Amino acid sequence: MSKKRRRRAPRDIGNRGVGAAPPAGANRDLRDSGAHRTIGAQQLSPLYRYAIILSRGSLFGQVLRRAGLAYDDETAALAASPLGMFFYNQRFLFFALGFLYIVALRVAAAFTGAPKTRTTVGLIFVFWLTAVVITLLAHKRFIRKVASHMEQTPSSDFPPVFYSYVVFDSVLVLGLVLLASWQFHVDLHYFAFLLLANTIVYCACAGAHVSSRRTFAAIPVLLLIFIAALLIVTKGMRNDLFVAFRDIGPVLGMAVVAVMAVAIVSAVRQREQKLMHSQVEMLGRLEVDLGNIPVKPEAKVTAKEQFERRLRVALKRLTTIDNPFGYRGVRIWFVDERDENAAYLLPGPFHGVKSINVDVSALQASPELLQSKGIRVVQNSRELPFLPAPISEDSQIAHESAAYVPVLANGRLAAVLTFYGLPEDPGTSHHQETFLHSVSAIIADALVQADVRHSSQATETIDALFHFESLSDVLPRAAEVFMKSTRAEACLIATRAANEDTKVRIVAASGFRRKTRDFEFSGDAVARVATENKLWVAFDDEIDADVRLRLESLHGRPVFSCLGVPFSASGPGSGLVLLVNSEGRAPWFSQNDVNLSRRLAHLVGRLIERFDRMESTEASLKLAQHREKDANEARLHAVSLATQIQNNLMVMTHQLQAPLSSMRASVIRLRGKIQHPDSLRYLEHIQGLVEDSFALCWGTVATFAKDAGTDTSIDLQDVDAMPELESLAARMQKTNARDDLKFEFYAEPDFPNIRIDRFVFTSVFYSLLHNAMKYADKNSRVEMVCGFEAGKAALKLKSLGEPIDPDEREDIFQMYKRGRVVTETGRHHAGVGLGLWVARQLLKEVEGTIDVEVSNRLSIFIVRCPIATSGGQA
Amino acid sequence: MSEKVLWLDNDTAYLMPFVEELEEQGFFVTVVETAAEAEEHLTAERYDYVIVDVMVPTKTAAEEAVYTREQTNRGYRTGVVLWRRLGKKLLEQNVGVLILTQRLDQSIRDELTKEGLPSQNFARKFQLSDPTALVDRLKSLRKSSARTS
C-alpha cells in the first residue's frame, strides 16, 4: 500500500455527527452524558454479555458460594483487571467442561466395543486430575503474584501471571498425547489442537503486553511445538512424510492466521485503552491545572496573569512529545471585542513548536471566524482557516496536520486553540474529536472562572482600602488597582468641588509621567463624564484633539484610547475615573475592562463618600469636644468663681462681726451713760440695726463655713421662744420700717422652752421675719404661733402677701434660689436668695427643720425644733 | 491696788468699749497684739486676768522662731501655743484666764478642753455684747478658780 499522503480539503468536524454540538456547555454534556447514553442504549450481544460475566468476578468463587461452601479463592485483587479475570474464569470453565467431557466419554465407552476405551478415558482423567490438582496447589502462589503486580501497577492492565500456566498446560497436553501414542498406542493426536488453543491464549496474553518483545518471540516456538507434536503423533498413522506434511499444511495455515489475528487485535485494543486512559488522565490534569487557582487580594500577580501562566504549563503538557495526543505545538488566541463592530484575536501562550507566530500582534477577526463554532482538522497547517500560516523555526510544521478548535464561553467565541505538528494523518477518530471538544470546554470554563476571579480580586483589593485612614492614601492605590486589573497604561481619579461646578480636578493618578496634582479639566469630554454622569469610551479619532493633546502632555506618550467612568459620592456625578491606553498589542479597552471599571468606580465613589463622612464626623466630634472643653472650663470657672464669691462673702461677713460686735458694745455702753430720750431712741435704733447686721453676718458665715467643711460650734441653750420672737419682731418692725404690719403672737398652753443655739434661733427667725416684711401685703397681719407637731415644737409664721408657687416650695430653700415673683416680675429684688437656705442649714445643725405651706397668698413657715429637756416653760 | 488684765488680741481697735469699761471698773488693762509680747509680759510680771484670743497671727520672723508654723497652723493659732506654754502655770497662780474663740474654732475648743481647760474659761468672741457682762465674767472666773484651788 502506498504511503503517500493524500491532500484533503479542510473539513469541519463540528458539522458532522457527534461533534456538531459546539457550545461549551454542549461539549461538556456530550462528554459527560453522551458517552454513557450511547453505552446504555446499546443492546448487548450474548457474546459481550458472556465476556462481561467472565470478566466481572470469580465463577469458581460463585459456584462455591452457591454450593454453600465458605471458601474464598482470594481473587479480589484480580477483579481490577477484567482481562485477567476473564482468563482465570476461562481456566475454571475449561476444567469444569473437561470433567463433563470425561463423564460423557465414560458413558460412551460403556456402549461401544472399541478397543482400549477404558484406557483412553483413564488416561484423559489422570491428566485432567493432574492439571486440576497442580492448579489448585499453585493457586496461592498465583494469588500472591496477582496481588504483588496490582500493588506495583495499580491499573486495569492485564497482569503477566498466566505465562507459567501456558507452559504447564502445553507440557501436560504434549505429555498426554505422547504417552498415549507411544506407551498405550492410543490415538489422541487431536488433543494436539489443545496446544494450538493454548498458543492462541498465549497470543492474547502477549498482545495485551505490547511493550514486551520477548513474549512475541515465544509465539513461533509454541507453534513449532504444536507442529512437532502433530507430526510425531501422526507419524504412525501416516508413514508417508509427504502425506503428513500435506495434512499439516492447512492446519498450520489456520493456526498462523488465528494466532496473528488474536495477537494483533489484542494489541490494538490494549493500545486504544491506554490512549483513552492517558487522554482522560490528561483532561483531568488540565482541569486541575486551570481550576482552583488561589487568588489573594492585593497579590502582585493578577488572577488573569496567573491563569495565563497556568495555561502555558497546561498547553506544554498537552503537546509533550510522548503524549498520546500527538500534536507537537499549540497556541491559544484570545478573542477581544473592541466594540460591537470590531473583534480581534490576541495571541496568547504557546508551546511545543518553537516561536510560532511570535511576532504576530492582534489579528482582526472576521465575522465568519466569530460564527465558526466547529473543530477543524487539516493535513497541513497552512490550511488552518482564518489564521495566517504559522511562522516557525520548525520548517516541518507547515507539512504536518493541524487543528482549529474554537473555545466557546457562554455561547460566544472566547478563544481559539490551534494545534500544530501531528506527523500522522489525524483521521476521523471519534476519540480525538471528543478529546478536542473536552479540551476546549475545560479551557472555556477556566476562562470564565479566571474572569470572575480577576474581577473579584480587583473589587476585594478596593474593598480592603476601606480600612485605610486617609483618603490621600487610598485614592492613589485605587488608581493602581484600575491599572493592574484593566489594560490601562495610566489612570486618574478626578472629582468635582460641587455639583454645579463644570470642572473636575485630579485628586489621584497612577502611570502618568508628568505631574497631575491639581490638574483640571473643564467643560471637555473628560469633565462631561462627571457632569453628565455618563460613560465615555473613545478610540483613536473619537478622542477630541484638545483632550488628546492634554492627556498626551500628562502621559508623555501617545494616547490611543480613553475610558471615562463616572462615580457618585455625595451625589450623582461627583467625579470620574479616567483610564488611558497607549500603543501596544491591543490599544483599546475591552468590554471586560469597561464592565470591571464600572464596578470599581462605584466602589471608589463609596470610598470617597465614606471618607467625606468620616471627615465630617471627625470635624463635628472635634467641635463637640472643643465645646465640651469650653463648657467644662466655663463650669469650672463658674464653680471657682462661686466658691471664691462664697469665700469672699464668708470672710467679709466674718470680718464684719468684729466691728459690729465692737459697735454693739459701744452703743450698749453709751445707752448707760445718756439720759436724753431722743438720743436713747436713736441709740436703740442703731443697736437694732447692728443686731440685724450681726444676725445677717453670723448666719451667713456659720452656714458657709459648715458648707466648706469647717466644724462650727453649737451652744444649745433653753430658749423661751415667744418673748424672743416678740422682741425680734418689734425690733425688726423698726429697722425695716414696716409699721403697717400687725404682729400677733399666740402660744399653745404649756408650750415649753425649746432647745436651740441662741444665734441659730435669732438668725433663722431674722430670715423669716425679714421675708415676711419684704413680701407681706400692706397693713396685713403677721401671726406667730408656738405649738406642737409630732413631739417637736412647731413655730409657725403666717403671713399674706406675694404668693409662693406650690411647685417652688422646696426650691426656695436652695442656695441662691428665689421665687418666680422675684425673678420674673422684678419685684422685691433685694437679696440674693440665701436667707431661707441659711435658715434650713442652721436648723439642721440643731436637729430642726423648716418647711412652708402655701395657699393662695397665705404662706405658713413652720420651724420644728427639739423641746428643752429642763422642762422650762414660756 | 487695781487688778491687772493682759488682753491678747490683734484687733485692738475693736476692743475699745470693753477696755474702757474695764478701766472704769478699776482694772489696769494691757493690750498686746502678739503671743510673743504676751509671753514677755507674763514672764516679767504677774497679771490677775489674762484674756487670750486663740487666733492671733505672728508678726515677725523672730516670733516665728518660737511660735513655729507647724505649731501654730501656719502662724495663725499663736494664742493656742501661748496657752500650751503658760496655761497650766497661770491656772496654778490663780490667774483668771478667758479664752476667746469664734464659732468656727470648735476644734480648738475641743483640743483645749481635752488638755484640761475648764469650759467656763471659754467665751465666744462676738458674743461679748455688753462690756459690763465681761467684767462680771472675769470676776466670776477668779472666784471659781479660787474655789477650785
Side-chain angles (χ1 to χ4, degrees):
Chain A
M1 188 182 278
S2 168
K3 292 271 180 186
K4 193 176 175 184
R5 196 172 272 120
R6 192 157 50 92
R7 287 175 71 91
R8 291 186 199 165
R11 59 183 190 285
D12 192 337
I13 295 173
N15 292 331
R16 295 181 302 106
V18 180
N27 282 347
R28 183 164 278 282
D29 288 343
L30 176 73
R31 193 174 49 139
D32 286 352
S33 59
H36 289 103
R37 195 167 56 242
T38 309
I39 291 170
Q42 266 183 355
Q43 282 295 323
L44 296 177
S45 68
L47 189 65
Y48 190 61
R49 213 175 290 156
Y50 165 74
I52 288 174
I53 291 169
L54 286 186
S55 58
R56 194 181 287 158
S58 164
L59 285 179
F60 181 48
Q62 275 183 28
V63 169
L64 290 175
R65 273 193 297 280
R66 291 225 175 136
L69 296 171
Y71 176 75
D72 182 9
D73 60 350
E74 299 173 5
T75 51
L78 198 59
S81 169
L83 199 57
M85 185 58 84
F86 172 80
F87 280 118
Y88 177 78
N89 284 331
Q90 198 186 48
R91 189 168 181 78
F92 165 70
L93 277 178
F94 181 80
F95 285 136
L97 293 173
F99 179 73
L100 292 176
Y101 168 70
I102 291 167
V103 171
L105 209 60
R106 179 68 188 87
V107 173
F111 296 100
T112 183
K116 296 186 180 177
T117 50
R118 284 190 177 186
T119 312
T120 307
V121 173
L123 264 174
I124 294 169
F125 180 70
V126 167
F127 273 85
W128 176 86
L129 194 63
T130 308
V132 169
V133 168
I134 290 175
T135 301
L136 286 175
L137 288 175
H139 185 69
K140 290 272 179 196
R141 181 176 161 275
F142 168 77
I143 291 301
R144 272 201 306 277
K145 282 181 79 175
V146 169
S148 162
H149 172 76
M150 289 301 173
E151 201 177 307
Q152 287 165 12
T153 323
S155 73
S156 59
D157 288 356
F158 178 65
V161 290
F162 289 95
Y163 296 122
S164 52
Y165 288 100
V166 170
V167 174
F168 168 65
D169 291 347
S170 296
V171 169
L172 208 62
V173 171
L174 196 61
L176 172 67
V177 171
L178 293 179
L179 192 67
S181 175
W182 291 344
Q183 197 64 37
F184 297 98
H185 303 288
V186 175
D187 182 12
L188 289 178
H189 66 273
Y190 279 103
F191 275 76
F193 282 95
L194 284 175
L195 279 174
L196 178 61
N198 209 27
T199 308
I200 290 170
V201 168
Y202 178 82
C203 288
C205 293
H209 294 107
V210 286
S211 58
S212 171
R213 288 181 182 176
R214 277 190 295 176
T215 50
F216 276 106
I219 293 173
V221 176
L222 284 172
L223 278 176
L224 284 174
I225 292 171
F226 164 64
I227 291 163
L230 268 184
L231 283 173
I232 292 164
V233 295
T234 55
K235 192 182 169 186
M237 290 179 279
R238 297 177 181 84
N239 291 325
D240 189 344
L241 194 62
F242 170 75
V243 174
F245 273 109
R246 185 198 62 195
D247 291 345
I248 290 299
V251 174
L252 187 64
M254 180 271 290
V256 168
V257 170
V259 163
M260 290 310 290
V262 168
I264 287 169
V265 166
S266 178
V268 167
R269 283 289 171 197
Q270 184 66 15
R271 186 177 181 279
E272 270 185 7
Q273 191 198 354
K274 272 195 170 176
L275 187 69
M276 268 188 71
H277 180 76
S278 45
Q279 284 187 345
V280 168
E281 207 170 63
M282 188 177 280
L283 290 174
R285 283 167 79 177
L286 185 68
E287 206 149 21
V288 170
D289 283 347
L290 300 182
N292 302 321
I293 302 172
V295 178
K296 288 180 187 169
E298 297 180 68
K300 283 184 181 172
V301 182
T302 65
K304 229 170 202 169
E305 287 166 344
Q306 244 179 330
F307 168 72
E308 287 196 12
R309 285 181 188 180
R310 291 279 191 102
L311 186 60
R312 186 171 289 116
V313 173
L315 294 181
K316 181 181 175 183
R317 199 167 277 155
L318 269 178
T319 50
T320 308
I321 293 297
D322 58 348
N323 80 79
F325 180 43
Y327 288 100
R328 287 189 289 131
V330 60
R331 164 144 243 166
I332 190 162
W333 307 76
F334 295 112
V335 176
D336 192 80
E337 290 180 22
R338 197 187 77 197
D339 51 43
E340 287 173 359
N341 304 317
Y344 290 84
L345 287 182
L346 302 180
F350 63 91
H351 188 265
V353 180
K354 207 173 177 187
S355 61
I356 305 169
N357 290 347
V358 78
D359 57 341
V360 172
S361 62
L363 303 170
Q364 185 150 18
S366 61
E368 292 77 26
L369 181 142
L370 295 173
Q371 293 302 317
S372 160
K373 293 175 179 174
I375 294 170
R376 298 188 186 195
V377 179
V378 292
Q379 269 201 317
N380 188 320
S381 59
R382 290 177 192 281
E383 295 169 358
L384 275 175
F386 315 121
L387 292 166
I391 301 163
S392 171
E393 291 172 7
D394 186 347
S395 56
Q396 186 62 28
I397 197 169
H399 307 292
E400 291 173 334
S401 297
Y404 168 92
V405 182
V407 177
L408 301 164
N410 301 322
R412 292 168 71 91
L413 189 69
V416 170
L417 275 167
T418 46
F419 291 97
Y420 305 95
L422 182 66
E424 59 197 53
D425 188 339
T428 56
S429 163
H430 173 73
H431 287 311
Q432 194 84 332
E433 187 182 309
T434 309
F435 178 71
L436 288 174
H437 270 305
S438 301
V439 168
S440 156
I442 289 169
I443 291 176
D445 277 356
L447 260 175
V448 173
Q449 282 177 27
D451 276 343
V452 171
R453 276 196 294 267
H454 183 76
S455 172
S456 304
Q457 186 187 33
T459 49
E460 280 171 24
T461 312
I462 297 269
D463 273 345
L465 299 179
F466 277 89
H467 301 298
F468 278 64
E469 288 184 354
S470 134
L471 193 61
S472 56
D473 289 342
V474 162
L475 291 180
R477 284 184 165 85
E480 280 171 18
V481 176
F482 274 94
M483 276 180 60
K484 205 168 157 185
S485 51
T486 64
R487 205 175 282 161
E489 274 193 6
C491 167
L492 64 84
I493 299 172
T495 55
R496 274 205 289 173
N499 278 353
E500 296 76 31
D501 200 353
T502 54
K503 285 182 196 167
V504 291
R505 193 167 56 85
I506 297 177
V507 289
S510 181
F512 289 96
R513 296 182 183 182
R514 307 276 155 76
K515 273 190 177 176
T516 56
R517 194 180 171 79
D518 297 331
F519 197 90
E520 287 181 344
F521 296 92
S522 178
D524 56 18
V526 176
R528 280 200 297 275
V529 173
T531 54
E532 293 176 11
N533 198 25
K534 203 169 142 190
L535 185 79
W536 179 49
V537 188
F539 178 66
D540 207 6
D541 294 342
E542 294 163 4
I543 308 168
D544 297 341
D546 56 334
V547 169
R548 193 170 187 165
L549 204 63
R550 297 189 79 195
L551 288 174
E552 285 179 349
S553 75
L554 281 177
H555 191 28
R557 294 192 66 194
V559 170
F560 276 89
S561 56
C562 294
L563 168 60
V565 192
F567 61 75
S568 304
S570 49
S574 312
L576 78 143
V577 176
L578 182 74
L579 308 177
V580 298
N581 204 345
S582 195
E583 56 206 338
R585 200 174 63 164
W588 56 82
F589 291 102
S590 67
Q591 198 54 43
N592 278 350
D593 289 335
V594 174
N595 293 339
L596 181 58
S597 299
R598 290 178 94 146
R599 277 199 292 276
L600 297 182
H602 174 75
L603 286 175
V604 167
R606 298 283 76 76
L607 263 174
I608 293 174
E609 196 172 46
R610 178 184 176 264
F611 280 99
D612 280 352
R613 273 191 201 147
M614 265 174 65
E615 269 178 26
S616 152
T617 310
E618 271 174 25
S620 303
L621 191 67
K622 274 184 187 167
L623 187 65
Q625 283 170 345
H626 188 68
R627 282 183 180 160
E628 190 189 358
K629 196 182 163 195
D630 284 353
N632 267 337
E633 280 174 5
R635 190 176 57 80
L636 289 173
H637 182 66
V639 168
S640 158
L641 208 59
T643 310
Q644 187 60 47
I645 288 169
Q646 199 164 315
N647 285 338
N648 291 345
L649 203 55
M650 187 171 72
V651 170
M652 281 191 287
T653 49
H654 176 68
Q655 288 182 347
L656 267 175
Q657 287 181 95
L660 284 173
S661 167
S662 180
M663 205 184 295
R664 183 175 55 187
S666 300
V667 170
I668 288 170
R669 278 202 76 217
L670 207 55
R671 281 177 70 187
K673 292 178 188 296
I674 292 173
Q675 303 297 319
H676 194 277
D678 284 344
S679 302
L680 280 173
R681 196 160 44 83
Y682 282 126
L683 282 174
E684 193 183 347
H685 185 69
I686 291 168
Q687 190 182 342
L689 288 170
V690 172
E691 293 288 357
D692 283 359
S693 307
F694 201 80
L696 201 60
C697 289
W698 186 87
T700 307
V701 74
T703 317
F704 278 175
K706 183 74 189 168
D707 197 44
T710 305
D711 200 10
T712 55
S713 65
I714 295 292
D715 278 343
L716 292 175
Q717 297 167 4
D718 293 348
V719 174
D720 186 358
M722 192 54 79
E724 294 281 346
L725 284 174
E726 283 177 18
S727 162
L728 189 60
R731 190 187 86 204
M732 287 181 69
Q733 262 189 307
K734 289 176 189 165
T735 54
N736 285 275
R738 287 301 304 262
D739 290 341
D740 62 301
L741 290 180
K742 188 180 178 191
F743 280 85
E744 287 186 359
F745 301 92
Y746 173 76
E748 282 184 19
D750 304 326
F751 185 77
N753 288 343
I754 55 171
R755 188 76 179 159
I756 195 166
D757 182 295
R758 191 173 289 279
F759 280 74
V760 170
F761 179 88
T762 308
S763 189
V764 167
F765 283 97
Y766 170 81
S767 285
L768 294 179
L769 284 166
H770 190 256
N771 251 18
M773 287 172 185
K774 258 205 301 192
Y775 299 116
D777 291 338
K778 197 165 175 65
N779 298 315
S780 64
R781 196 175 58 182
V782 178
E783 280 182 46
M784 302 192 79
V785 180
C786 296
F788 300 98
E789 261 188 28
K792 280 192 170 182
L795 288 85
K796 297 178 185 176
L797 193 147
K798 302 178 184 177
S799 65
L800 283 169
E802 291 289 1
I804 297 171
D805 192 326
D807 293 341
E808 296 179 337
R809 280 169 50 200
E810 276 303 305
D811 294 346
I812 57 174
F813 290 105
Q814 288 180 19
M815 191 190 253
Y816 300 126
K817 281 283 170 71
R818 292 180 295 175
R820 273 185 215 132
V821 71
V822 181
T823 55
E824 288 176 11
T825 64
R827 292 199 290 267
H828 321 288
H829 61 272
V832 290
L834 281 174
L836 290 176
W837 175 73
V838 166
R840 182 169 263 188
Q841 298 306 314
L842 288 175
L843 280 167
K844 271 187 194 171
E845 292 296 302
V846 295
E847 297 176 1
T849 59
I850 180 170
D851 297 292
V852 65
E853 285 176 5
V854 293
S855 171
N856 296 325
R857 294 180 70 80
L858 173 66
S859 311
I860 308 171
F861 284 91
I862 306 167
V863 174
R864 296 177 183 86
C865 49
I867 295 167
T869 49
S870 61
Q873 224 172 282
Chain B
M1 192 179 171
S2 58
E3 291 182 302
K4 292 198 288 185
V5 178
L6 181 72
W7 196 328
L8 168 63
D9 199 320
N10 56 323
D11 293 328
T12 53
Y14 305 133
L15 301 181
M16 187 267 281
F18 298 98
V19 171
E20 281 185 2
E21 180 66 28
L22 283 169
E23 285 174 345
E24 266 186 27
Q25 295 289 330
F27 291 93
F28 181 79
V29 183
T30 306
V31 177
V32 290
E33 290 184 42
T34 64
E37 282 177 83
E39 194 172 346
E40 204 175 303
H41 279 277
L42 287 170
T43 315
E45 54 188 307
R46 188 179 182 285
Y47 285 86
D48 300 292
Y49 300 98
V50 176
I51 304 172
V52 176
D53 182 357
V54 291
M55 293 293 280
V56 175
T58 51
K59 279 194 170 176
T60 63
E63 192 187 4
E64 267 184 26
V66 183
Y67 294 84
T68 62
R69 288 174 66 79
E70 290 73 31
Q71 287 175 327
T72 60
N73 190 20
R74 289 175 295 157
Y76 285 106
R77 295 180 176 185
T78 55
V80 177
V81 180
L82 175 72
W83 163 253
R84 283 179 180 153
R85 291 163 74 92
L86 301 175
K88 271 193 179 176
K89 190 180 162 189
L90 291 173
L91 287 177
E92 281 165 12
Q93 290 171 355
N94 194 24
V95 176
V97 179
L98 188 63
I99 302 290
L100 299 180
T101 62
Q102 295 180 18
R103 289 283 305 213
L104 311 181
D105 304 329
Q106 180 62 36
S107 57
I108 297 173
R109 231 169 135 154
D110 293 344
E111 281 173 35
L112 296 182
T113 307
K114 274 184 191 170
E115 289 172 22
L117 189 64
S119 58
Q120 69 262 23
N121 291 62
F122 288 104
R124 279 190 192 163
K125 190 173 174 182
F126 302 127
Q127 222 169 8
L128 303 172
S129 53
D130 188 352
T132 321
L134 174 67
V135 175
D136 296 341
R137 182 80 187 269
L138 281 179
K139 285 179 178 170
S140 70
L141 273 177
R142 281 208 74 187
K143 279 176 194 164
S144 65
S145 61
R147 273 199 301 274
T148 313
S149 60

